[in-house]
Structure formats: structure tokens, C-alpha cells
Amino acid sequence: MSVRLIWGAAAAALALSGCAALEPPKKNAPAIHVNEDPFPSTYVAYPGVPTAIRNATIFDGEGGQINNGTVVLADGVVQAVGGPELPIPAGALVIDGTGKFVTPGIIDVHSHLGDYPSPGVESQSDGNEATSPVRPEVWAEHSVWPHDPGFSRALINGGVTTLQILPGSANLFGGRSVTLKNVPARTAQGMKFPGAPYGLKMACGENPKRVYGSKGQMPQTRMGNIALARETWIKAQAYKRKWDEYYKNGGDMPERDLAMDTLKGVLEGKILVHNHCYRADEMANMIDMSKEFGYHITAFHHAVEAYKVADLLRDNNICGVMWADWYGFKMEAYDAIKENIPLVHNAGACAIVHSDDPNYIQRLNQEAAKALADGQRVGIPNLSEAVAWQWLASNPAKALGIFDRTGSLKPGKMADVVLWNDDPFSVYARPERVWIDGAEMYDANDPKKRPVSDFELGQPGEGDVK
Amino acid sequence: MIRAMLAALLVTVAAPAAAETIAIINGTVAIGNGSGPVEGATVVVRDGRIVAAEQGVRVPADARVIDASGKWVTPGIVAGFSRLGLADVDLGAGGADDTSARNGPFSAAIDVVPAINPNYQPIAVNRADGVTRALVAPSSAKSIFAGQGAVIDTGADMDPITKARAFQFVELGETGANDAGGSRASAHLLFRNALREARELARYSPPVSSGRSTQPDAREQPTVRNPNESRLYGADARRSEDVLLTRFDAAALVPVLQGRQHLLVHVERASDILQVIDLGREFPALRIVIVGASEGWMVAPEIARSGIPVIASALNDLPASFEQIASTQSNIGRMQAAGVKVSMGMIDDNDSRQEFNERQYAGNLVALTKVPGATGVSWGEALRLITSAPAEAIGLGHDIGSLQAGRRADVVIWSGDPLDPRSAAEQVLIDGVQQPLQTHQTRLLDRYRFLPRRDLPEAYRH
């Protein structure tokens, strides 16, 4: 519904209520629909030229591999993917990919770039609204500083073309996430992935209980975490009932509550739950809570014990979002094992490699490589580089609700593509070129295509190879 | 009977496997001194030391032979700067973290040796990934002086110390400014004051070490160039006046002042690096090693001229703080090209647990050689950065960090190229002793590799 329509409806409602006293009782005024997208994406793809990459090894992001492959990009989308026989459109820029690799752009489902930008000083620390354990009313996009130099590093070193910015994990309910296309922009809205669903960041375990327990308030324990979360869902259900009733029968508009708006969106299946949760037993608790209140958990992030309950994740259609080898930095990370990602994959669940870090986001391909090698070493069957690229592209795209538009090299999908100068599972590989919606956003051989953030202008090292 | 058992036990203890002669044959061998890998070379180990590592070496008749065909053989990784062994879990696990002492009275006197636990999992995890030695430093708390660090091995025994009190660690960048009350200027004053307190203590106290003359050594005399620095300086100064350090802390700085103990100084900013070089001129006996140096490339010629070694972070490329505005992954390559004695460490980067990342980081520096405009390092140099170079930075290059004859036999056999993190350490020798590679992690894998319910609970599996 457009903004104009909403205002029109509001005016009509006011007019109706104005004459209510003079008329016999009538049926309720029709409901006014709340604008659910008040900060819409203003992203516009940059222009590209028809481009064909030939003779490259292609990982399509869905598990497929084409040797001596050809990819054609035009009009912002993937036009065709195939072998050497694939026709090249007349006038296309043809790139020889001999010895090189083509993949879909990497998608990081867990980043705090912009919300915890560089420099990481107090003035710019905008990732945790740690003033109450329940803050679903905050939206990460309102903290995103689009000039964070971390975005460009993720692009040029990491080949990251899409990323989800999450609020932090101090809170049980941390707020809404935002999914961004990794392009330089003046506003966060200018990066916002058009039409991507919102996510809700939830957290279980140590962080909420530490942050609020140390202040002498609830939650101070894991049982407190669950109790407060359930109380909040009970309120959210009541709030949703009010609005359902209103939308069905009209009448007095219920008072809006931004926090409950977000949770109502989750209960309606419009907002995806991204749940920070490390321990197997706690993931099971969160699954039971989701069933109690009728919502679905899209993904457990930092799921270091996912391997212990990989069957549970599979059976409940929940992605495990994991690191390759982080361990031991707190008790709930003590049981991390290096085979976590391949074991979750092997169980038939959706496995994703994530960063949660401005440095690791530059090397997610290497993190996947380590996990792949660890999985192969312990004999997990049917693992290959092409299969493992799913952990970096199609699976995260599914977890973000954007797989119909990006996350693999299929005709009609956004041309979010990386040309690697070597096998991207090798530590010696780097992105050579990166396209987003078919527009070339990085070329290692073109010194003019090195993004410099506003913050870096006039600083030592400006425009340097980073 | 009991005596016989004890005797047998003693024999077992007194005749460690280090006495073994081992020949590792047919491997792709890299020495760790900057040279490239050599195929089909042989590494011979005897009595815990390297005898030879090259092509065409004769296998001793009494040697246990390990065939490393298709494998790579290198010295063990030396973590250039770490907190390894000081913490098992870092956050919210009271009792398992001895990296710093926020509420204690001491600073420079702190010695990490009593805190290091060779049974902590990070030691095992890093051993299993080919890290065999580490420089271990405490973290600063209330003072710019963090205390005395050690060099350790990661062997599966209760004797982790290679060299105790190998260096003093001091913060002189942003962290030092914070520790000193809020400014770098204050940190530098505290530093000078501390060395003068140490000097007075050295003059009026018995010598700490018997190996040196008790006569005043000209090299220990600070050269005062700025009159503002001489407030407390002079022959009549007594330590009883204006004392800021505890006696223990001041005493701990005497060997630093005298150049008998290395001084690791953490700075990142180019201007801070130049200030440290100036300290070296002011106190010529100091054996300074700069740690961090994210902006080192900007003043690389000055560092090279000073001869001060640098243990740098490898992949910092973000302006993560205002002292790292000019960070770039080309930093180490550029310093190396300028002649700086550079090596790699984990400075504030998962430093108590993930030293195994160093080989991945080193591989990334090799990758830069193919990126236009960037400066990387060769494969051989990259391996050197994480083996012999950090050992040399603190004067232990003759003992650890390479496969050159006479060094301690810390040897790793890898499944493939060790700078590619897809490769795994398959066999690890420390001081010539074959190491177990099991960890808490590998045991968990054994238990949970297959999930179907069994007759008994998980706790009975394996």
C-alpha cells in the first residue's frame, strides 16, 4: 500500500468518526493498515555492461561445478551459465577466465558492519541497545553508518556482495536486522536489499544473562532468559490478537507498540528469526519455545554445538550458522569442534559459514575451505568445493529469504558475481573482479576501482591497497 | 620391590624419548630460514636436536625412519606474540584466566611462569595444529608495564618453560595511554621514571646477576637530552623520593635497563614507533622489540636503521582504532622490503587461543604477491615470519624456530602446504619427542560423529 493510500484511509476514518454521534450505531470504521515499510530501500543498481567470462571454473552456489565454463551477465542479471559452447552476445565484454574461478558473491548472514564500524570507538558503538533485555523495537538499519571502511574490505578481499547487519547479542530480543547490498552509498537505505524480509535478532545463553545479571536485573540466569522471553511472547500474542481483530472488524485502532510490531511480524511469518545460540541444549529450548508460541526459527547463529543436535536442526528446518574453528572464548564456546559445519551439512541440515567479525568477513572463503578440509579428513562423504560453496551463497540466501533473487548463478538472478584469481578454497586466492547486479564494483587491476570511504579521505593510506 | 618399581619409574622418566634418533625421509622440507621448500629431503633428529635437514643426507643406522612421502616437513610454528597457556576460557570463567591482574599491586614484577598451565586446551589445540613454541606475554592492567613474559613449548608434559622471564612487556600506544591515566605523554613520563627508579635501585642494591661487573656501566646511563626529563636524575637521587613503583616492580626493570632482558613495546601508530626508536637512543642498553606496528610501513626506513626487530600483526587492514588508521595487509611486506627485521605475532587477536591462525595469515601474505599494488612476501619468507624470525627477535634464533643443525627438534609433518590452512599437522615433534594430537575437540568429534541413539548415553561413548 502506498503512503498516499494510507493517508487517504486515515482521512476517511476521521470523517466517519466525526459524524458518529449524529448517526445511529453503524458498523465499525474500516481498519487502517499500518505502513510496514516506512524506511524503504532506495537502492538502485549501478549500470553494467554486458559481460561474458569464459574458460573459468564455475561453482554455481547450489552445488554444481562447470569446468571450462562460461557465464554471461547483462541487464543486471545472470543471462546464462554453461560450458564453452555457450554463445556470447554480440558486443559483450569478454573476460578470459583461464585458471580462474567464478562464484556467486559471498553472503554473510551475520555482520555488524556499520553498527560497530571502524574506528571502533565509543562514539560509534551502535550495535547493542543494552538498556533493556527486550528491545525488539530497535532497527539495525538506523545504526548503520554507510561509511564504515569495513564494507569495502569485505567487498575487495572477501567477495562479499550481500550481508545481513544484526543488532548485537546483549539482549534476548535485540531488534530488527537489515540486509544490505555491499555497495558504497550515502545512506543505509541506499544499500538496503530491495524487498528483503526483516530479521529479528534473538539471543540465548551467556550474553543476556551477563549484561543484565551484572546490573542486578532479570535475566541473571538461563532460566531467567527463557522466562522473560516467554512473557514477552505472551504479550506479543495478545498484541497480535488485537490487531487481527481490528483488521478483521475495524473500529478503534489499537495503540501501536514498535516492539510488539516486530514480534507480531515474527508471529505472522513475515520477519525471520536469527537466534544467537551456542549450546545444543539451549537450541532445543529455543525450538520448544518457538513451537509454544507458533513462530519459526530460521537460523541458529554461532551454533558451535550444532553438531550435537544436527538432526534436530534438520527436522525443524533450521539453518546452523557457524564458524570454522572459533572456540573457547567463553564457556558456551568450549565444545566447538572443527568439523561442526560439515557434520551439520552431512546430517541434511542447512549449513552456513558466517563471520560476526570485520576481519573474518574478508576471508569467509578460507573459513569454508578449512571446514571442507576438516570434513573431508574425517571421511564425510560427497563433500566437494562446489558443494561447500552452498555454505557461502545459496544457504545464506535462503536464510535471508532472498534466494529467489541471489545466492546462485542461475539465469534471471541478480548478477552478484566474483571472479577469483585462483581456486577460492586456496589461501592464495583473492577476488580479481566483483559485480553487484551486473555492475563491476571492484577490479584489482584498475586503481580507480578501489573504494575509499568518506572516513578515509585525506588520511594516511588513503586509496592504498588494503 | 617398591625400590625396583621406583627405579623403573625413574628410568622411564630419565630416559625420555628425546634420546631417540629419528630420520624423516622423502618429505618436502622447508627450513624456516627464508628459503623455499625442497623436495625429497631428509631431516635427522638426535637427542632432541636437529642434526641435518637437506637432500642427500645419510639415514643413521639406528634411526627410526618416518616416511614423509607426499608430506611437508617444517619447523614447528613459533607464535610470535601470544597469551597462550594463560587462559583456558577467556570470558566469564573465573579461575581460568590469568592474563592480567586488574586488582593486584604489581606490574613489571609480574612473571607469567607460575600462571602457565600446560594442560589448558589451547595448548593442546595449538600443538595439534603444529604450533610448538610461543612467546607468552601478560596483559597490562593498571600500569603500562604488563610484566615479564616467557617462551614456552606446547609439549604434552608438565614442563612448558623454554625461557622464563625472557622479556618485559610494556604498552606505549593507546592502551599505554589509558593505563597511564589518559595520555601517551603520561605513559612516556612513567616509562622514564620507571627506568630511573630501576637505575637507582641497581646502583644501591646488590647486582641481580653475578655474571656482570658491579661497576657502573656507561651503557646503563641514560643520556638526558631534554632538561625537562632530568627532574629526578642525578647522582644524589635516592629511591626514597617520588617513588611510583613498588620495589619488586623497580627491581624487575633492572635487567631491562641493563639489556639483559628484552623489552617488548606495543605500539601501532607511526609516530609512536618513532618515539620508541628515540627511547632506544636515550637508553642505549635497552633491547627493544616493537610489537604491533600496524602503521610500521610508514616509517619502515627509520625502523630498519634502528635495527629494532618488529613482531607485527599480519592482516590488520582496517582503521580499527585511531592508532591504526593507515593499516594495510601490505605492512609486513613493505617493512620486509625496507630491511626491517620483521616477524609475525597475534597482537590482541585471539591471542590466548588461535595461534594456529598464523600459518593461514602467512599464506595470505603470499597471496598478496599476486594482487596488483600490494606487497606480499615469498613462501619461504612467509614461513620464516612464523618460525625463526620471532625466535631471532628475542635472541633465541640459535635454539628454536628452524631446522638448522643444532636447533631444538621441533618438527611438524603436514598433510600438505602448511601455509594453506586446509593442511593439517599429522605428526608433531617437540624437542624430538613425538606428541599426542588428541584434544577436547577430537574427543568430542569421536563422541558425536554419529548421532543415532545407542544403548547407553553419550557419556559412555568412547
Side-chain angles (χ1 to χ4, degrees), chain B residues 3 16 52 57 91 128 158 160 179 181 208 218 226 230 235 244 255 287 314 335 337 373 386 421 447:
Chain B
R3 188 182 298 170
V57 174
L91 182 64
M158 294 306 291
D179 293 337
V208 176
N226 182 339
S230 63
L244 294 178
R287 292 163 77 183
M335 286 197 285
I386 57 173
R447 177 168 284 180

Side-chain angles (χ1 to χ4, degrees), chain B residues 56-308:
Chain B
V57 174
R58 194 181 60 82
V59 174
D62 59 341
R64 175 165 72 92
V65 175
I66 301 173
D67 186 356
S69 296
K71 315 288 184 188
W72 291 53
V73 185
T74 71
I77 307 306
V78 177
F81 185 88
S82 80
R83 267 100 190 187
L84 190 61
L86 293 179
D88 199 359
V89 179
D90 303 42
L91 182 64
D97 185 352
D98 291 315
T99 48
S100 72
R102 178 63 55 187
N103 299 315
F106 296 112
S107 58
I110 288 170
D111 171 4
V112 297
V113 166
I116 289 168
N117 182 359
N119 292 332
Y120 273 162
Q121 283 304 314
I123 297 240
V125 168
N126 281 284
R127 170 174 68 233
D129 210 292
V131 178
T132 55
R133 304 272 165 181
L135 280 63
V136 180
S139 297
S140 71
K142 289 187 304 188
S143 163
I144 60 171
F145 293 99
Q148 300 169 83
V151 178
I152 67 164
D153 70 61
T154 62
D157 56 53
M158 294 306 291
D159 180 21
I161 306 300
T162 308
K163 184 172 184 184
R165 295 170 293 283
F167 58 89
Q168 174 69 229
F169 178 53
V170 63
E171 293 275 4
L172 283 178
E174 277 185 13
T175 306
N178 187 42
D179 293 337
S183 82
R184 286 171 168 81
S186 174
H188 273 262
L189 267 178
L190 282 170
F191 181 83
R192 287 180 171 83
N193 173 77
L195 289 202
R196 293 208 175 95
E197 287 193 32
R199 198 181 71 80
E200 293 306 312
L201 202 61
R203 180 181 296 174
Y204 297 109
S205 304
V208 176
S209 151
S210 59
R212 290 172 66 109
S213 162
T214 53
Q215 294 301 312
D217 182 334
R219 291 183 306 154
E220 296 166 20
Q221 303 293 329
T223 305
V224 178
R225 292 197 167 85
N226 182 339
N228 290 330
E229 292 170 0
S230 63
R231 188 167 56 91
L232 280 180
Y233 181 71
D236 292 326
R238 292 293 186 277
R239 211 188 159 262
S240 57
E241 299 169 23
D242 287 1
V243 167
L244 294 178
L245 294 177
T246 71
R247 200 164 188 84
F248 271 28
D249 294 321
L253 291 173
V254 171
V256 173
L257 179 73
Q258 295 174 340
R260 289 184 290 112
Q261 186 182 62
H262 284 80
L263 178 67
L264 269 57
V265 185
H266 178 209
V267 285
E268 302 284 357
R269 201 168 79 176
S271 68
D272 287 339
I273 293 169
L274 294 180
Q275 291 298 323
V276 172
I277 294 172
D278 279 348
L279 283 179
R281 296 192 188 108
E282 189 174 336
F283 302 97
L286 295 182
R287 292 163 77 183
I288 295 173
V289 179
I290 291 174
V291 170
S294 289
E295 294 190 346
W297 65 273
M298 296 182 69
V299 289
E302 290 89 342
I303 305 174
R305 271 199 298 281
S306 75
I308 293 174

Side-chain angles (χ1 to χ4, degrees), chain A residues 20-42:
Chain A
L22 306 174
E23 303 286 333
K26 290 175 91 172
K27 66 174 186 166
N28 281 335
I32 302 163
H33 275 264
V34 168
N35 179 7
E36 292 184 353
D37 190 19
F39 300 91
S41 169
T42 59

Side-chain angles (χ1 to χ4, degrees), chain B residues 339-356:
Chain B
V340 176
K341 289 185 261 182
V342 65
S343 54
M344 191 191 294
M346 303 281 291
I347 297 101
D348 300 329
D349 180 12
N350 296 324
D351 51 26
S352 68
R353 297 177 312 278
Q354 302 208 170
E355 279 58 47
F356 56 76

